[in-house]
Amino acid sequence: MGESISLIGRAAEWHDRVAISDQAGTHTYADLLARSERAAARLLDGQTDLDEARIAFMVEPSFDYVRAQWAIWRAGGISVPLCLTHPAPELEYVLDTTTPVIAIASSIYADLLRPLADARSIRFLLVEELKQDPVPLPRIEPDRRAMILFTSGTTGRPKGVVTTHANIQAQIISLVEAWEWDEDDRILLTLPLHHIHGIVNVIGCALWSGARCDMLPAFAADQVVDRLTAGHLSLYMAVPTIYHRLITHLDQMSDEATSAFRDGVGRLRLMVSGSAALPVPVLERWRELSGHTLLERYGMTEIGMGLSNPYRGERVPGSVGMPLPGVDVRVVGDDGIEVSGDEPGEIQVRGPTVFLEYWNRPQDTGSAFTSDGWFRTGDTAIVEKDRYRILGRSSIDILKTGGEKVSALEIEDVLLGHEAISEAAVVGIDDPEWGQRVVAVLVQSGPVEAEELKAWAKSRLAPHKVPKEFHFTDALPRNAMGKTLKPEVVRLVEERV
Ligand code: AMP
């Protein structure tokens, strides 16, 4: 037999242990192996190897999601997980960029995805159709491309980050070692599965370790509190916005219920926060409510996880800790030279966890790396007593809202496409729940109401990119180049809200 993807090869070791539980029930490692093999046969459909053909899939977090992902990998394809809340134009962008040969959907997404696939002559399959008698599967070398995830940058539309099987494996092994995963672990997944956080940190690490992953189709504060209270879990990972929402929910519960919660959640061995800065008040309130000091880590779609507070040892609030195993990290000044002592500079990362390339964008890939192979993150940090503290991003046009990376320029472009808008500036305003709240400041050239504009944006942009507020003004501050001066716009908005 072919195979050689270690994550999948290891699964045979865990055989009858539960790998995944979802709305449909529990599924063992043996189920996952057997059913992903049959699904791979269906994808191959007579071919011997998909040879890095892209396969897009739109499946809710569930056993079926992982079955589809493993099938794509086992058949030799590149997996392109689609965001479940994207409106058609965003899905079309991903399809047109990655040109998949097959699009897979679970039945609830079929009405949305099938016509988009048909219009592009992409073969469409329902996830339940993924079964066929097993056939010999190709051998997959570690340096083969495995996945494309989309992430926003400072220019243009989102870029597809390509990782190989070796990259994904290195990302998993680093976290398994640092956070001491083993087969007795049980984690609750409430993260979306078109981002690395859920795919690698939660599912990848769990399945590598022979652990169990309980999946909710989407985040719901009451259900998460119930699961944490039940006391069966050992790990939980989320973005700061989710911890903020859980705190809001817990603050409305009775004393008895919060004390039961504290007992149950106390049995977890680790709770992690990342993807955006964890505000110290959130860390402190969570500690009061749960007894856990959240472990904050720093990572990026392009590098996997780079820095982490220690699993054992002191977790410093406001710090993202130290380099993870196997990851080289340095801080570089504007002159391109590594800073000494505690001066701020850009975080640069090197090592086997770092991605291969941006899909079909050789120039962007080239400029993302230094001549000696370090990836430029665009994040500024300072190292204090060997611990990294993130100070901000080098571009004001990159926002993080609810843990999602967003390009202000992309949203401005969409808003400028409306006939009643002549100028647009999108900014992130500090917000206790969202980290940054997406706000648009606009100059009108014709009549339009904020609500109408919101609906218009919603039909074109993923939900997290749609501005929460629209402010209208007579003129936007400009610099000599004719560009909006963002800090001035931020001030303009802050004066008004
Ligand atoms: P993404 O590729 O969507 O995961 O976004 C990566 C970006 O999220 C990084 O470049 C940082 O700007 C930000 N980020 C991730 N983790 C943290 C953290 N713990 N603190 C501050 N920013 C973070």
PDB file of all heavy atoms in Angstrom, residues 151 275-277 296-302 320 379 390 393 400 405, ligand 1:
ATOM      1  N   THR A 151      -5.682  33.650   3.806  1.00  0.00           N
ATOM      2  CA  THR A 151      -5.388  34.633   4.849  1.00  0.00           C
ATOM      3  C   THR A 151      -5.246  35.999   4.203  1.00  0.00           C
ATOM      4  O   THR A 151      -4.809  36.105   3.055  1.00  0.00           O
ATOM      5  CB  THR A 151      -4.089  34.226   5.596  1.00  0.00           C
ATOM      6  OG1 THR A 151      -3.908  35.082   6.706  1.00  0.00           O
ATOM      7  CG2 THR A 151      -2.873  34.302   4.705  1.00  0.00           C
ATOM      8  N   SER A 275      -4.454  33.516  18.577  1.00  0.00           N
ATOM      9  CA  SER A 275      -4.926  34.095  17.301  1.00  0.00           C
ATOM     10  C   SER A 275      -5.133  35.594  17.388  1.00  0.00           C
ATOM     11  O   SER A 275      -5.339  36.252  16.378  1.00  0.00           O
ATOM     12  CB  SER A 275      -6.219  33.455  16.785  1.00  0.00           C
ATOM     13  OG  SER A 275      -5.999  32.086  16.519  1.00  0.00           O
ATOM     14  N   ALA A 276      -5.128  36.134  18.593  1.00  0.00           N
ATOM     15  CA  ALA A 276      -5.223  37.571  18.789  1.00  0.00           C
ATOM     16  C   ALA A 276      -4.776  37.827  20.218  1.00  0.00           C
ATOM     17  O   ALA A 276      -4.760  36.899  21.039  1.00  0.00           O
ATOM     18  CB  ALA A 276      -6.656  38.063  18.584  1.00  0.00           C
ATOM     19  N   ALA A 277      -4.426  39.092  20.507  1.00  0.00           N
ATOM     20  CA  ALA A 277      -3.934  39.404  21.852  1.00  0.00           C
ATOM     21  C   ALA A 277      -4.996  39.099  22.898  1.00  0.00           C
ATOM     22  O   ALA A 277      -6.164  39.456  22.743  1.00  0.00           O
ATOM     23  CB  ALA A 277      -3.535  40.871  21.899  1.00  0.00           C
ATOM     24  N   GLU A 296      -1.319  31.595  26.780  1.00  0.00           N
ATOM     25  CA  GLU A 296      -1.400  32.355  25.525  1.00  0.00           C
ATOM     26  C   GLU A 296      -0.250  31.972  24.611  1.00  0.00           C
ATOM     27  O   GLU A 296       0.889  31.860  25.034  1.00  0.00           O
ATOM     28  CB  GLU A 296      -1.369  33.870  25.782  1.00  0.00           C
ATOM     29  CG  GLU A 296      -1.519  34.625  24.466  1.00  0.00           C
ATOM     30  CD  GLU A 296      -1.719  36.129  24.605  1.00  0.00           C
ATOM     31  OE1 GLU A 296      -1.586  36.658  25.711  1.00  0.00           O
ATOM     32  OE2 GLU A 296      -1.994  36.762  23.558  1.00  0.00           O
ATOM     33  N   ARG A 297      -0.613  31.781  23.335  1.00  0.00           N
ATOM     34  CA  ARG A 297       0.408  31.452  22.338  1.00  0.00           C
ATOM     35  C   ARG A 297       0.224  32.374  21.135  1.00  0.00           C
ATOM     36  O   ARG A 297      -0.825  33.019  20.980  1.00  0.00           O
ATOM     37  CB  ARG A 297       0.339  29.961  21.975  1.00  0.00           C
ATOM     38  CG  ARG A 297      -1.011  29.444  21.465  1.00  0.00           C
ATOM     39  CD  ARG A 297      -1.298  29.947  20.133  1.00  0.00           C
ATOM     40  NE  ARG A 297      -2.550  29.595  19.543  1.00  0.00           N
ATOM     41  CZ  ARG A 297      -3.012  30.240  18.471  1.00  0.00           C
ATOM     42  NH1 ARG A 297      -2.400  31.271  17.962  1.00  0.00           N
ATOM     43  NH2 ARG A 297      -4.145  29.877  17.910  1.00  0.00           N
ATOM     44  N   TYR A 298       1.255  32.434  20.295  1.00  0.00           N
ATOM     45  CA  TYR A 298       1.238  33.277  19.097  1.00  0.00           C
ATOM     46  C   TYR A 298       1.520  32.403  17.878  1.00  0.00           C
ATOM     47  O   TYR A 298       2.405  31.540  17.911  1.00  0.00           O
ATOM     48  CB  TYR A 298       2.330  34.349  19.237  1.00  0.00           C
ATOM     49  CG  TYR A 298       2.770  34.983  17.943  1.00  0.00           C
ATOM     50  CD1 TYR A 298       2.143  36.129  17.456  1.00  0.00           C
ATOM     51  CD2 TYR A 298       3.817  34.436  17.207  1.00  0.00           C
ATOM     52  CE1 TYR A 298       2.560  36.710  16.259  1.00  0.00           C
ATOM     53  CE2 TYR A 298       4.236  35.007  16.016  1.00  0.00           C
ATOM     54  CZ  TYR A 298       3.601  36.144  15.545  1.00  0.00           C
ATOM     55  OH  TYR A 298       4.008  36.719  14.367  1.00  0.00           O
ATOM     56  N   GLY A 299       0.737  32.595  16.839  1.00  0.00           N
ATOM     57  CA  GLY A 299       0.989  31.832  15.616  1.00  0.00           C
ATOM     58  C   GLY A 299       0.404  32.560  14.434  1.00  0.00           C
ATOM     59  O   GLY A 299      -0.116  33.666  14.544  1.00  0.00           O
ATOM     60  N   MET A 300       0.464  31.908  13.291  1.00  0.00           N
ATOM     61  CA  MET A 300       0.045  32.542  12.040  1.00  0.00           C
ATOM     62  C   MET A 300      -0.186  31.440  11.014  1.00  0.00           C
ATOM     63  O   MET A 300       0.519  30.420  11.046  1.00  0.00           O
ATOM     64  CB  MET A 300       1.205  33.443  11.596  1.00  0.00           C
ATOM     65  CG  MET A 300       0.886  34.457  10.586  1.00  0.00           C
ATOM     66  SD  MET A 300       2.344  35.533  10.372  1.00  0.00           S
ATOM     67  CE  MET A 300       1.665  36.668   9.193  1.00  0.00           C
ATOM     68  N   THR A 301      -1.104  31.635  10.109  1.00  0.00           N
ATOM     69  CA  THR A 301      -1.384  30.626   9.098  1.00  0.00           C
ATOM     70  C   THR A 301      -0.093  30.179   8.403  1.00  0.00           C
ATOM     71  O   THR A 301       0.089  28.999   8.124  1.00  0.00           O
ATOM     72  CB  THR A 301      -2.370  31.197   8.053  1.00  0.00           C
ATOM     73  OG1 THR A 301      -3.490  31.759   8.765  1.00  0.00           O
ATOM     74  CG2 THR A 301      -2.876  30.129   7.096  1.00  0.00           C
ATOM     75  N   GLU A 302       0.794  31.124   8.152  1.00  0.00           N
ATOM     76  CA  GLU A 302       2.018  30.815   7.396  1.00  0.00           C
ATOM     77  C   GLU A 302       3.058  30.015   8.194  1.00  0.00           C
ATOM     78  O   GLU A 302       3.931  29.398   7.619  1.00  0.00           O
ATOM     79  CB  GLU A 302       2.686  32.118   6.908  1.00  0.00           C
ATOM     80  CG  GLU A 302       1.952  32.832   5.791  1.00  0.00           C
ATOM     81  CD  GLU A 302       0.937  33.850   6.287  1.00  0.00           C
ATOM     82  OE1 GLU A 302       0.406  33.680   7.403  1.00  0.00           O
ATOM     83  OE2 GLU A 302       0.680  34.823   5.554  1.00  0.00           O
ATOM     84  N   VAL A 320       3.615  36.399  25.079  1.00  0.00           N
ATOM     85  CA  VAL A 320       3.294  35.190  24.307  1.00  0.00           C
ATOM     86  C   VAL A 320       4.370  34.126  24.486  1.00  0.00           C
ATOM     87  O   VAL A 320       4.408  33.137  23.769  1.00  0.00           O
ATOM     88  CB  VAL A 320       3.051  35.481  22.811  1.00  0.00           C
ATOM     89  CG1 VAL A 320       1.753  36.246  22.622  1.00  0.00           C
ATOM     90  CG2 VAL A 320       4.222  36.230  22.206  1.00  0.00           C
ATOM     91  N   ASP A 379       4.698  41.253  12.345  1.00  0.00           N
ATOM     92  CA  ASP A 379       4.326  41.554  13.737  1.00  0.00           C
ATOM     93  C   ASP A 379       5.545  42.112  14.461  1.00  0.00           C
ATOM     94  O   ASP A 379       6.665  41.635  14.272  1.00  0.00           O
ATOM     95  CB  ASP A 379       3.864  40.282  14.465  1.00  0.00           C
ATOM     96  CG  ASP A 379       2.531  39.787  13.932  1.00  0.00           C
ATOM     97  OD1 ASP A 379       1.594  40.608  13.852  1.00  0.00           O
ATOM     98  OD2 ASP A 379       2.433  38.602  13.590  1.00  0.00           O
ATOM     99  N   ILE A 390       4.081  40.950  22.159  1.00  0.00           N
ATOM    100  CA  ILE A 390       3.689  41.514  20.858  1.00  0.00           C
ATOM    101  C   ILE A 390       3.296  42.979  21.072  1.00  0.00           C
ATOM    102  O   ILE A 390       2.471  43.285  21.944  1.00  0.00           O
ATOM    103  CB  ILE A 390       2.466  40.759  20.274  1.00  0.00           C
ATOM    104  CG1 ILE A 390       2.678  39.246  20.278  1.00  0.00           C
ATOM    105  CG2 ILE A 390       2.101  41.282  18.888  1.00  0.00           C
ATOM    106  CD1 ILE A 390       3.541  38.700  19.201  1.00  0.00           C
ATOM    107  N   ARG A 393       1.207  45.341  14.841  1.00  0.00           N
ATOM    108  CA  ARG A 393       1.516  44.880  13.491  1.00  0.00           C
ATOM    109  C   ARG A 393       2.132  46.031  12.707  1.00  0.00           C
ATOM    110  O   ARG A 393       1.805  47.195  12.969  1.00  0.00           O
ATOM    111  CB  ARG A 393       0.234  44.401  12.791  1.00  0.00           C
ATOM    112  CG  ARG A 393      -0.135  42.983  13.140  1.00  0.00           C
ATOM    113  CD  ARG A 393      -1.423  42.567  12.480  1.00  0.00           C
ATOM    114  NE  ARG A 393      -2.563  43.203  13.094  1.00  0.00           N
ATOM    115  CZ  ARG A 393      -3.186  42.725  14.165  1.00  0.00           C
ATOM    116  NH1 ARG A 393      -2.793  41.613  14.716  1.00  0.00           N
ATOM    117  NH2 ARG A 393      -4.198  43.358  14.684  1.00  0.00           N
ATOM    118  N   LYS A 400      -7.437  42.463  13.323  1.00  0.00           N
ATOM    119  CA  LYS A 400      -7.826  41.161  13.872  1.00  0.00           C
ATOM    120  C   LYS A 400      -9.126  41.363  14.610  1.00  0.00           C
ATOM    121  O   LYS A 400      -9.198  42.134  15.575  1.00  0.00           O
ATOM    122  CB  LYS A 400      -6.742  40.668  14.830  1.00  0.00           C
ATOM    123  CG  LYS A 400      -5.741  39.780  14.133  1.00  0.00           C
ATOM    124  CD  LYS A 400      -6.110  38.317  14.302  1.00  0.00           C
ATOM    125  CE  LYS A 400      -5.504  37.423  13.256  1.00  0.00           C
ATOM    126  NZ  LYS A 400      -5.488  36.021  13.644  1.00  0.00           N
ATOM    127  N   LYS A 405      -8.282  37.378  10.753  1.00  0.00           N
ATOM    128  CA  LYS A 405      -7.444  38.394  10.128  1.00  0.00           C
ATOM    129  C   LYS A 405      -8.186  39.028   8.958  1.00  0.00           C
ATOM    130  O   LYS A 405      -8.768  38.312   8.142  1.00  0.00           O
ATOM    131  CB  LYS A 405      -6.168  37.729   9.629  1.00  0.00           C
ATOM    132  CG  LYS A 405      -5.057  38.653   9.292  1.00  0.00           C
ATOM    133  CD  LYS A 405      -3.818  37.820   8.995  1.00  0.00           C
ATOM    134  CE  LYS A 405      -2.656  38.687   8.611  1.00  0.00           C
ATOM    135  NZ  LYS A 405      -1.525  37.868   8.171  1.00  0.00           N
TER     136      LYS A 405
HETATM  137  P1  AMP B   1      -3.816  34.154  11.285  1.00  0.00           P
HETATM  138  O1  AMP B   1      -2.884  33.816  10.188  1.00  0.00           O
HETATM  139  O2  AMP B   1      -5.202  34.473  10.864  1.00  0.00           O
HETATM  140  O3  AMP B   1      -3.755  33.140  12.397  1.00  0.00           O
HETATM  141  O4  AMP B   1      -3.296  35.510  11.921  1.00  0.00           O
HETATM  142  C1  AMP B   1      -1.988  35.627  12.398  1.00  0.00           C
HETATM  143  C2  AMP B   1      -1.822  36.925  13.126  1.00  0.00           C
HETATM  144  O5  AMP B   1      -2.603  36.938  14.324  1.00  0.00           O
HETATM  145  C3  AMP B   1      -0.421  37.165  13.608  1.00  0.00           C
HETATM  146  O6  AMP B   1       0.414  37.641  12.565  1.00  0.00           O
HETATM  147  C4  AMP B   1      -0.639  38.184  14.727  1.00  0.00           C
HETATM  148  O7  AMP B   1      -0.782  39.481  14.193  1.00  0.00           O
HETATM  149  C5  AMP B   1      -1.970  37.742  15.312  1.00  0.00           C
HETATM  150  N1  AMP B   1      -1.807  36.944  16.533  1.00  0.00           N
HETATM  151  C6  AMP B   1      -1.840  35.610  16.667  1.00  0.00           C
HETATM  152  N2  AMP B   1      -1.673  35.249  17.951  1.00  0.00           N
HETATM  153  C7  AMP B   1      -1.529  36.382  18.652  1.00  0.00           C
HETATM  154  C8  AMP B   1      -1.328  36.703  20.042  1.00  0.00           C
HETATM  155  N3  AMP B   1      -1.277  35.760  20.967  1.00  0.00           N
HETATM  156  N4  AMP B   1      -1.216  38.009  20.388  1.00  0.00           N
HETATM  157  C9  AMP B   1      -1.282  38.981  19.456  1.00  0.00           C
HETATM  158  N5  AMP B   1      -1.482  38.755  18.141  1.00  0.00           N
HETATM  159  C10 AMP B   1      -1.604  37.468  17.744  1.00  0.00           C
END
